[in-house]
Amino acid sequence: MSDLWTSEEIATATGGTASAPFTVSGVAFDSREVTGGDLFVAMKGEATDGHRFLDKAFDQGAAGAITSQPVDRPHVLVKDSAAALEALGRASRKRMAGKVIGVTGSVGKTGTKEALFHALDRATPGSVHRSVKSYNNHVGVPLSLSRMPRDCDFGVFEMGMNHAGELSALTRLVRPHAAIVTAIAPAHIEFFGTEAAIAEAKGEIFEGLEPGGTAIIPYDSPHVATLYNKAERYAGRILTFGLGAGADVRACEAVPAPGGGTLVTAALPGAEICFTISAPGEHWVSNALAILAAVEAVGGDLGIAGLALAELPGLPGRGERRRVPAGGGEALLIDESYNANPLSMAATLKQLGREQAERRIAVLGGMRELGERSVELHEGLVGPLTAGRVDYAILVGDEMTPLARRLDGVVAFDHVADAEAAITLLQAQVRAGDAILIKGSNGIGLSRLVATFQQTMSWPAATGKDTD
């Protein structure tokens, strides 16, 4: 593995003092994720102190550490380890000579980030860096930046927020050449009050654009004007994407593709491209258009990007599709267990309604951080459930009580307290030919349902992969 950082570079970037010369090939702040050659950043948090895990990190192969107290290991001593990680991320961005893309949005940002990585990496294998998992906050973004190889051609970074001002700080670290807002939905509305306020906060991603950078915004969003007005203040160029005829990057035609997914003919300002996206659903057509806009903005290869979109792997928790042995045959399980808000619930239920299945089952966990609108927005899922032709639903958690009251007599359902009860119920209900959607906020714990099946059954990956 090539050297990512030398101890001298780390000390220079962070204003710290190196105890001895060393080099590292990776960066981690969780001792459980440390692998050979890593730099371990020992940070003090509210619940624990990373310095307690230094021995574990070095036992697992750490080559050095950033610490805020002297230790008997190779390290760079700093005043504040968290501030040092941010400084290291800033230094990494400064030395990177390639193009950087930032991604945010209420829904779809992780899937879009992953798909954008594949679209660029297929043309230039090994030269694209991106955030791993959903590392998109004040710690995850500096970590992802600090892991970026010094010689990569492209960097793709996901940025999230649940309060105003957070994206403003993150985007100034990332300094993107192109910045995408995927969509606006009432996610985290508890902290904002209105969708308009969420749109204003998401628009902060444009504040960090490099001079002449491109803002990429959803044309079909009711908040397009808010985003456009924000972008005009910071972007050298604005590209809208969507299904509407006025979008700069638009789907002229989108039809179901043989074997799953969607066949799309897209028009860009200077090109037209026909491609297949493996992930089914209108929301993924929208994501794909944003991806093409970003590829075009940073000078990537549109044709190869189209090929990559046809080969996207599914993401666990965000639409991964697998075949579950059931009743002497198979059932399709769609894993959307990582996150949920009203917009993503509606999109995935709509796609469930298009699945060819004997029965359509929806296991839905509560949507969190909806504040005063929680009752209203959960009740509002009646329409998407019926539009999704759901035959049977399992509602999980107290947040689903308003929906349970409205759903009686409309769709067959059971309402249970937690994920464990849902596991027992689903295991008893699954039949061959079922299509099962599992979706809820991460805190509900529906990933445990998926894990239970993974531990007890051997699943081949399903065709027609999907991510969210």
Side-chain angles (χ1 to χ4, degrees), residues 124-148:
T124 55
S127 70
V128 186
H129 174 75
R130 93 285 208 182
S131 311
V132 297
K133 301 181 181 178
S134 290
Y135 284 174
N136 61 21
N137 63 8
H138 66 289
V139 177
V141 169
L143 177 69
S144 296
L145 281 166
S146 69
R147 290 172 164 176
M148 182 165 55

Side-chain angles (χ1 to χ4, degrees), residues 172-342:
R172 286 183 167 89
L173 281 175
V174 174
R175 290 170 34 221
H177 296 88
I180 300 171
V181 177
T182 59
I184 304 296
H188 311 301
I189 200 167
E190 175 183 3
F191 307 115
F192 292 94
T194 66
E195 277 194 24
I198 293 172
E200 187 68 32
K202 290 295 184 184
E204 291 174 9
I205 193 173
F206 305 134
E207 295 177 13
L209 278 169
E210 288 286 86
T214 302
I216 300 169
I217 62 179
Y219 181 82
D220 302 321
S221 170
H223 306 288
V224 62
T226 297
L227 294 169
Y228 203 98
N229 290 339
K230 186 80 170 182
E232 281 186 313
R233 295 159 55 188
Y234 301 99
R237 183 188 185 199
I238 300 174
L239 287 175
T240 59
F241 66 91
L243 306 180
D248 298 313
V249 180
R250 67 187 185 280
C252 305
E253 187 176 15
V255 297
T262 307
L263 179 64
V264 181
T265 301
L268 289 86
E272 186 172 290
I273 179 172
C274 184
F275 65 98
T276 298
I277 181 164
S278 63
E282 288 181 5
H283 58 297
W284 257 108
V285 174
S286 179
N287 291 345
L289 296 173
I291 290 160
L292 292 179
V295 170
E296 191 271 349
V298 297
D301 190 309
L302 288 170
I304 292 179
L307 294 175
L309 290 170
E311 301 168 352
L312 287 179
L315 291 178
R318 293 183 173 87
E320 185 176 54
R321 299 156 71 91
R322 293 205 175 254
R323 298 288 178 182
V324 183
E330 289 184 334
L332 171 66
L333 189 143
I334 305 168
D335 176 15
E336 292 271 2
S337 60
Y338 186 80
N339 208 350
N341 59 56

